[in-house]
């Protein structure tokens, strides 16, 4: 992040030394030297001078009212560049609003994973997909085909079969290890290779207001995630993304997260959150 916050970041990296390879930044921290920049996070401005000088333009777009950056990009291309997207991309943006904005009908909908978009989301999150070097390939495929066709591919179905097995194992682990602190469901998966899932919290304990998870990234950093239950009767009134800015992270209104170097510091944040919201 320190290098990113330097104005000459792009000039020092080989991927942007060509006039035919301009830096396009999507769904990430603001940088004024990006040729195109789109983001919807409240915590995107890490330098006060950049926030003060920022102005929305044809090429730089920020709107935290959007649930997904995909929808923001699509609208910007339509309204500012005259782009006419095919129906399947409009549908993709709608589903990404649901997924990124956590606007599901129920926890059961996510766990059952019946809809093609939810199946492809599971594929995207899979370790097999992340490690296979196929990101660029599937970005291109998504731009050319509807998701309902993409999930029929053999390579996708193979990964999804494994993901369903992992999901069942994760459900079992959560069921045995979740701790309840008042309105908060907490789990520590920092010593496990299983994926984190706030949805499982709400599926197993539908009456809770918040889920709190301690996990560990491949980089070795501890990751604290705190989210509100979208189906809870008592709706969250605190902007959790803003709350986690003071912990060095950020997020959206109903989810905050941060990366911490030490386990002790991570647990300190967890205790503060529990004391405040339980």
């Amino acid at each position: 992040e320190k290098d990113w916050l330097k104005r000459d970041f792009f000039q020092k990296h080989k991927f942007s030394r060509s006039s035919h390879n301009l830096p396009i930044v999507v769904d990430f921290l603001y940088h004024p030297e990006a040729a195109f920049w789109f983001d919807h996070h409240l915590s995107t401005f890490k330098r006060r001078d950049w926030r003060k000088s920022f102005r929305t333009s044809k090429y730089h777009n920020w709107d935290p009212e959007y649930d997904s950056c995909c929808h923001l990009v699509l609208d910007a291309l339509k309204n500012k560049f005259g782009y006419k997207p095919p129906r399947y991309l409009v549908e993709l943006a709608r589903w990404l609003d649901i997924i990124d904005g956590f606007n599901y009908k129920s926890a059961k909908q996510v766990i059952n994973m019946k809809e093609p978009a939810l199946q492809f989301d599971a594929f995207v999150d899979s370790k097999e997909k992340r490690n296979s070097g196929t990101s660029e390939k599937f970005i291109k495929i998504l731009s050319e085909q509807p998701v309902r066709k993409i999930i029929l591919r053999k390579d996708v179905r193979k990964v999804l079969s494994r993901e369903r097995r992992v999901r069942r194992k994760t459900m079992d682990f959560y069921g045995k290890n979740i701790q309840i602190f008042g309105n908060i469901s907490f789990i520590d998966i920092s010593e496990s290779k299983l994926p984190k899932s706030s949805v499982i919290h709400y599926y197993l304990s539908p009456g809770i207001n918040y889920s709190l998870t301690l996990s560990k990234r491949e980089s070795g950093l501890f990751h604290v995630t705190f989210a509100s239950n979208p189906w809870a009767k008592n709706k969250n009134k605190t902007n959790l993304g803003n709350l986690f800015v003071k912990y060095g992270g950020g997020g959206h209104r109903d989810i905050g997260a941060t990366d911490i170097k030490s386990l002790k510091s991570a647990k300190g944040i967890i205790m503060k959150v529990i004391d405040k919201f339980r």
Side-chain angles (χ1 to χ4, degrees), residues 247-266:
Y247 298 136
H252 302 291
R253 185 187 182 284
D254 290 317
I255 183 169
T258 188
D259 289 325
I260 305 294
K261 289 184 178 180
S262 76
L263 178 59
K264 183 179 179 180
S265 297

Side-chain angles (χ1 to χ4, degrees), residues 182-185 202 205-211 226-230 232-236 277:
N183 290 318
I184 301 172
S185 173
Y202 312 137
S205 306
I208 63 166
N209 288 344
Y210 300 96
S211 65
F226 186 55
S228 68
N229 183 349
K233 292 181 179 180
N234 299 318
K235 296 299 180 183
N236 172 49
F277 290 89

Side-chain angles (χ1 to χ4, degrees), residues 158-206:
K158 184 178 180 180
V159 171
L160 283 176
S161 179
R162 287 197 293 265
E163 282 302 296
R164 288 188 175 94
R165 291 197 295 271
V166 171
R167 182 162 294 192
R168 288 193 292 270
K169 186 182 295 185
T170 305
M171 289 276 290
D172 182 60
F173 180 87
Y174 272 58
K176 293 177 180 177
N177 293 280
I178 274 178
Q179 296 174 270
I180 303 296
F181 297 94
N183 290 318
I184 301 172
S185 173
F186 168 71
I187 195 165
D188 180 353
I189 59 169
S190 60
E191 297 300 321
S192 170
K193 294 183 179 181
L194 294 172
K196 64 185 180 73
S197 171
S198 59
V199 179
I200 296 178
H201 284 273
Y202 312 137
Y203 183 83
L204 296 175
S205 306

Side-chain angles (χ1 to χ4, degrees), residues 46-59:
K46 294 298 184 181
R47 282 181 48 166
R48 291 184 179 180
D49 56 331
W50 287 359
R51 175 66 184 98
K52 189 175 181 179
S53 63
F54 173 77
R55 298 291 182 274
T56 297
S57 69
K58 186 175 183 179
Y59 306 102

Side-chain angles (χ1 to χ4, degrees), residues 80-115:
K80 299 179 180 181
F81 294 88
Y83 175 63
K84 296 181 180 180
R87 286 185 180 180
Y88 63 84
L89 284 185
V90 174
E91 180 69 1
L92 177 65
R94 184 181 76 83
W95 271 104
L96 285 173
D97 281 348
I98 292 172
I99 294 168
D100 203 13
F102 214 82
N103 296 315
Y104 305 102
K105 295 177 181 178
S106 66
K108 186 177 180 180
Q109 179 188 26
V110 187
I111 297 299
N112 289 346
M113 204 169 62
K114 291 182 178 180
E115 291 87 347

